[in-house]
Amino acid sequence: MKSQRTLVLIKPDGVQRQLVGRVIARFEDRGLKIVGMRLTAVSRALAEHHYAVHKERPFFASLVDFITSSPVVAIVLEGPNAIPVVRSMVGATKPHESAPGTIRGDFALETAKNLIHASDAEETAAAEIQLWFGDGGLVGYERATDTWILSDEA
Ligand code: CMP
């Protein structure tokens, strides 16, 4: 068991389709703790930085256009093995390959409109949390339910 933090973005399609509450409810229901959350417009600079790994891909420009087209909700979730737990809840990048029961498998049909982003590894999570919340905004706190969700092992 390893406590981790991970970055989730509910992308413009998720906000516009009014799915923010339903998506967040899934993470809360699982027991993950929200330690940062904000609705924000995305600058081109931030988008290009966030998607830098895809810079050479043919879809890079449309990716940046899309994520800057309308606000996103950026969230940092904390919990045991939060990075793989959240990735498994999000589902495969291509919605036709995501299993029913995952967020993309239940709410998305197109890869370019796959609703949500989640960090894929410890290094990317750290870099993405720094990129989106480097100016502050993270809050560590105890929940009354922690004792019923988390084991005592640190
Ligand atoms: P995400 O996993 O958040 O990060 C990279 C994004 O690139 C991915 O979600 C998709 O939204 C997008 N993407 C990946 N492959 C394609 C593609 N072939 N065409 C358009 N967008 C893509």
Side-chain angles (χ1 to χ4, degrees):
M1 195 277 290
K2 186 173 186 188
S3 185
Q4 294 180 328
R5 287 182 171 183
T6 189
L7 181 90
V8 163
L9 299 177
I10 303 177
K11 299 198 247 186
D13 44 340
V15 176
Q16 288 286 344
R17 290 173 58 195
Q18 298 166 238
L19 292 172
V20 171
R22 291 164 77 183
V23 169
I24 292 173
R26 290 182 175 224
F27 296 127
E28 288 194 310
D29 286 349
R30 186 77 187 261
L32 291 155
K33 187 185 293 187
I34 297 168
V35 295
M37 181 157 65
R38 66 163 62 118
L39 174 85
T40 182
V42 183
S43 67
R44 290 196 78 80
L46 176 58
E48 285 172 5
H49 199 148
H50 177 78
Y51 281 132
V53 67
H54 298 297
K55 207 173 171 60
E56 306 306 325
R57 304 280 194 99
F59 55 83
F60 179 72
S62 62
L63 209 52
V64 171
D65 284 347
F66 181 62
I67 205 159
T68 57
S69 66
S70 185
V72 305
V73 174
I75 306 163
V76 178
L77 295 169
E78 181 183 273
N81 302 305
I83 297 167
V85 165
V86 169
R87 288 283 291 189
S88 69
M89 293 175 72
V90 163
T93 300
K94 297 177 181 170
H96 67 276
E97 294 173 357
S98 349
T102 64
I103 293 165
R104 287 169 175 161
D106 288 351
F107 295 120
L109 285 170
E110 293 279 7
T111 304
K113 301 220 167 65
N114 63 4
L115 208 87
I116 184 163
H117 166 86
S119 308
D120 63 1
E122 281 189 58
E123 262 184 31
T124 35
E128 290 175 357
I129 290 169
Q130 175 61 29
L131 182 63
W132 290 83
F133 286 90
D135 58 344
L138 298 185
V139 186
Y141 58 101
E142 302 275 312
R143 294 175 303 192
T145 49
D146 277 348
T147 186
W148 303 103
I149 295 169
L150 305 173
S151 74
D152 293 331
E153 303 157 32

